[in-house]
Each structure stands twice: as structure tokens, then as C-alpha cells.
Amino acid sequence: MGQRTLIVQPADNVVVALQDLKAGEEILVGGNQITLLDDVKAKHKFLLSDLKKGDKIIMYGVLVAIANEDLLKGNVITTANVHHAASGFEVRDSHFNWQAPDTTRWQDRKFMGYHRSDGKVGVANYWLVIPMVFCENRNVEVMRQALTQALGYKSHDKYNDFAHRLSSLYKAGKSTAEILDADFNGADEGLEEPLLPNIDGVKFLTHQGGCGGIRQDSVTLCGLLAGYITHPNVAGATVLSLGCQNAQVSILMDEIKKRDAGFNKPLFLLDQQQIGKETDLLALAIKKTFAGMVDASKQQRQPASLDKLVLGLECGGSDGFSGISANPAVGYCSDLLVGLGGSVILAEFPELCGVEQNLSDRCKDEGDAKRFAALMGMYSQRATEAGSGFDMNPSPGNIKDGLITDAIKSAGAAKKGGTSPVAAVLDYPEPVTRPGLNLLCTPGNDVESTTAEVGSGASIVLFTTGLGTPTGNPIAPVVKLATNTPLYQKMTDIIDLNMGTIIEGTETIEQAGARILDFVCEVASGKKVRAVINGQDDFIPWKRGISL
């Protein structure tokens, strides 16, 4: 049957149900016999002691909620009987000491990557096609259609084949019932053999920005795009500009130089209003892109040490097991990589609500602690001014599966960052420049945050999920980690690793974290993850505003 309940921290006054529990059951928890007063679904929590209205609910050792009414030991906590609450925090003198985990096993480990002139090492080798403004999106789509199939990067379209088969059934006079009864039988045939085997693909970063809004939006967008162009997973880029938009090419070049003063990758800048005819623009863009990719294909993977890796840390479709299985396992992997001299990025600031004091105390530099406090305070204030707040972050799916307050969700989400000191605090879309744990201000929105982490330098993203989500990225492999075994077994087409072993007691957090790092090494050397195989190229720039 395995372990049925868990107290996460000794100070907690709630217990996590690891399995479905029934009202009336006698549960032995930490030496205390508790009679359950309610049914408690797996992932949800019940009380370890009686509470009065206004009393605090503690989980992960921090305040996560306040009781709305008198509650009894054995009651399940819900959105009806408790509400979100989080402790305040302050910048204070800190003497944080950290002992890195034993990294002996990986000290001499190498991955095979693409070495760039700025000293960074990519885990992939992509060419980018980027519009400076949404007006160029159609031209970019024309280039996508022309180049992906010709270069062998278009996967076999099993769904198109299926639709044609249904059309044939209709033409043959089959009934609606017979059409609905047709089997899919769609084999995953993957990609064709690429013409340029050392180029992983050509990616097209269409977006809805570049003009309108405020001028700061365009500067921020140019910073993000510069982060992608200078990214070590990118060999070169073709940029299409209309010409008159707010996001001028000169701003983009300034942002590129900020990130790489000696930038020397092939970069083709094409201005439609200068060139004239659309056909001339596209013909020139396709020729230059093709020639650039041929030259870039001469690059080869070479050995690199693990300190060259930058991991983005992300969660989406989280559940009540996220904070006790996949997230802490990713956190241990993060600590291992930091111990090896690498970098990790913890983002999603609305999902750090209630754990700010811990993160502030871990900042190496007081200036970073103050910046973190300012960014969190500003984000929270703007959310409140918009009629919302961090307390409204949990989605219906989060709540249904046990994350009933933002503070509960946040305390578990922060586990992805491990226990190491905070090396830097970054505002979107600033790049990672220091090894260690970097805090990056982004929304909690999965795709906006993943897009931002990669723009700041993440070469691989570790993405935990309890409910299942297909999110990927155009240039960085997104590794999906299931928090529970049923999800892993149900969605094998989008999930890479199972962390449900921790819940089942067959693997420790440390063992799972080590397994993740081993997998990261394989991915860094070219192993394809599900999001890459599926062509899941999600790219949504954050237009600075309230997005929880």
C-alpha cells in the first residue's frame, strides 16, 4: 500500500494525503491518531490539530492560509474554509551558509555541445527567422513553408493523412457514425532526413509586438529577441523589418551588443520598405538564410564541461504533489549543477509569494536582496491595482488537485530552486551573467515564463507538471517531468521523466535529482525530448503588464 500521508516540515499543522482517504478512517500521523472527518482526495491536506477562526495554516514551514471558521483535527482544508495568506518579509543581515551536495560523480562528466566565440556552449544548433514587428508575420510564415520542407525539417503530417482518409470515407458515402468510428492509427514517423545534419532546424519566432503600445514595449521586445539571437543554441539569424515600426533594428543591435560586445554570428537584416517588392524581399531572405545555414552546418559538437550549462526551472499544470516530488527533485539537480559551477534560473515571481524571506536571506549581495524585494513589491502592487492579486494565481486545475492557495503553490514551486545562494536577481529580459542561482522576474504563465528564461540564456528547461501540459520552446529542449506516475503513464507522448517514484517511496528526492542531471547530460549532447520531437515551439513574449 505504501506511505499514505506526509508531513512536509515538522512545524506544519496540515498533512498531505498521498492516497485517497475516507471519512472515518483512523490515520496514524507522527505518533498521533487522527480520525478523518471528511473524505480527503490524494494531493489534498487535512488538519493535524484543531484551529480557531483566524488561526494560521502552516505548510512547508511557512504561512500558507488562514482559517475562515473554527476547524477540527481531521478536517480537510478547502477554498471554502481557508483563504490565502503569506508572511511579510524584509531585507536583513544574512549570514547564509551553504554546503553543496557531493558532485564527485559528475566532476569529469562532459557533454557534446556547440562552442561559440563568446565562450558559451550550446546544446543545439538552430537558425532563427525573426520579424521585428507583427506586420512581417505573414512573410515569416511564407519562409516557414518554403524552407522547412525543402530542408527536411517538416515532420510527416499524420493528422493531415487522417483528415484525407475521413474525406475519402465521406466521398464513398459513409455515414457520420461510420466516420466517427474510424481508427486513427497515426504512426509517429518523426522528421525527414535533414539536408543539413548539423543544423537542428530553422525556427520562426512570430509575435504580436514591435509597434503600438508604448515605446518601452519595443525596447523590451528587442532585448528578448537579442537574447535569442545571441543564445548559444543559435547559429545565426535572419531578421525581417518593415522599416517604420517602433522596434527599430538599431535598438535590436544595441541590445545584441549589450549581451555580446564581440558578436560575430551571421545576421541578415532585411528591410521591406527599403527593398520594395514582397517577392524581392522573400527571395533575398530565403537565399541568404539558405546560404547562412549551409555555412553554419560546418560546425560540429565538441566536449564541454557541465559548468557551461544553464538550466531554466519551470512548472505548469501543477498539482498537490508538485512541491513534494518533481519540484524538490529538480531543486536537488539544480544544487548539483550549481555545485559544478553551472547556472540555474528560477522565475515566475507570482509563484514565490510567501517564500520571499528565504530567498532574500539567500542573496549573496544586499543589493540583489533589495532588488528582489522591489520587484516583488512592484509586481504585487500592480496586480492589486488591476483588481487582481497574487492570491488569484492558482488555476481551477491547481485548486482541484490540492493547490488551494497561492502560498501553498508558491512554497512548493520555489523548491525547484534548491537550496543554494542567490547569485543574481534579474529583471525581464536581462541575461544570466553569473554562475549559480539566478532569480528572473517573469509571470507565472508557463509559456511567457519559459520564453523569458530561454531569452535570458537557459540552454535547457526543466518543466514539472502534475496535470500535463505540452509546452515547448523553439530553441531550447524543454524536459517534462511528471509529479505522479498515473500522469506519466497517461501522457507518454509529452512527458519525458517520471517523478512519481518519490511519492511511491521507490526513489528518494536525491536519487531522482541525480537521475535528472544524468538525463540533462544526454539532452545536452543531442538526445531529443518529447517537446522537440512533437515540434512544440511555443514563443510568447511578455508584454510587460499584469500576467499571473
Side-chain angles (χ1 to χ4, degrees), residues 56-116:
K56 297 177 179 179
I57 286 87
I58 306 296
M59 186 177 174
Y60 297 101
V62 298
L63 173 65
V64 295
I66 296 290
N68 292 336
E69 58 193 60
D70 291 350
L71 297 170
L72 299 175
K73 178 172 65 174
N75 275 142
V76 66
I77 61 170
T78 70
T79 53
N81 60 25
V82 306
H83 65 269
H84 165 83
S87 297
F89 68 102
E90 60 183 356
V91 176
R92 60 192 185 190
D93 289 337
S94 177
H95 304 284
F96 182 74
N97 293 311
W98 182 63
Q99 180 64 49
D102 182 8
T103 59
T104 305
R105 173 174 155 189
W106 296 274
Q107 285 291 345
D108 298 322
R109 185 78 175 263
K110 305 290 183 184
F111 72 95
M112 299 297 290
Y114 292 95
H115 291 250
R116 308 301 182 188

Side-chain angles (χ1 to χ4, degrees), residues 32 46 66 69 76 83 115 176 192-193 228 235 259 299 304 332 342 354 367 383 439 474 479 503 521 533 545:
N32 296 319
F46 61 90
I66 296 290
E69 58 193 60
V76 66
H83 65 269
H115 291 250
T176 302
E192 302 172 10
E193 188 66 30
Y228 274 73
R259 288 158 176 77
Q299 298 170 357
Y332 187 74
L439 304 182
V479 180
I503 300 298
C521 293
I533 294 169

Side-chain angles (χ1 to χ4, degrees), residues 204-217:
F204 305 84
L205 306 187
T206 54
H207 56 82
Q208 300 304 314
C211 210
I214 58 176
R215 293 299 176 91
Q216 291 91 329
D217 291 338

Side-chain angles (χ1 to χ4, degrees), residues 247-392:
Q248 287 289 296
V249 169
S250 59
I251 302 174
L252 175 67
M253 294 308 300
D254 287 344
E255 292 294 329
I256 287 174
K257 292 298 183 183
K258 287 179 185 177
R259 288 158 176 77
D260 182 4
F263 179 78
N264 61 359
K265 289 181 182 178
L267 178 64
F268 306 132
L269 304 169
L270 303 173
D271 186 305
Q272 184 172 5
Q273 290 172 346
Q274 287 184 4
I275 292 171
K277 290 182 179 178
E278 185 179 278
T279 51
D280 292 342
L281 170 74
L282 287 169
L284 183 59
I286 291 170
K287 284 192 296 184
K288 283 183 172 289
T289 299
F290 190 94
M293 291 178 67
V294 169
D295 288 340
S297 185
K298 297 171 184 176
Q299 298 170 357
Q300 302 279 339
R301 288 184 182 269
Q302 297 177 344
S305 54
L306 300 190
D307 62 336
K308 296 296 185 180
L309 292 176
V310 182
L311 292 182
L313 313 174
E314 189 68 31
C315 54
S318 298
D319 70 351
F321 285 165
S322 294
I324 59 177
S325 63
N327 288 351
V330 165
Y332 187 74
C333 174
S334 300
D335 284 347
L336 288 171
L337 187 62
V338 170
L340 290 162
S343 304
V344 297
I345 305 172
L346 180 64
E348 301 178 289
F349 272 29
E351 296 175 12
L352 299 178
C353 177
V355 294
E356 297 99 331
Q357 191 65 65
N358 173 267
L359 291 168
S360 177
D361 289 346
R362 286 162 58 186
C363 287
K364 291 182 178 180
D365 181 80
E366 183 180 348
D368 278 325
K370 290 180 177 178
R371 192 181 198 205
F372 175 59
L375 287 170
M376 285 293 292
M378 179 176 62
Y379 206 141
S380 178
Q381 179 183 344
R382 288 181 177 176
T384 302
E385 290 171 350
S388 185
F390 285 173
D391 61 302
M392 299 181 75

Side-chain angles (χ1 to χ4, degrees), residues 188-199:
D188 187 359
E189 298 185 20
L191 296 173
E192 302 172 10
E193 188 66 30
L195 179 66
L196 305 170
N198 290 336
I199 298 289

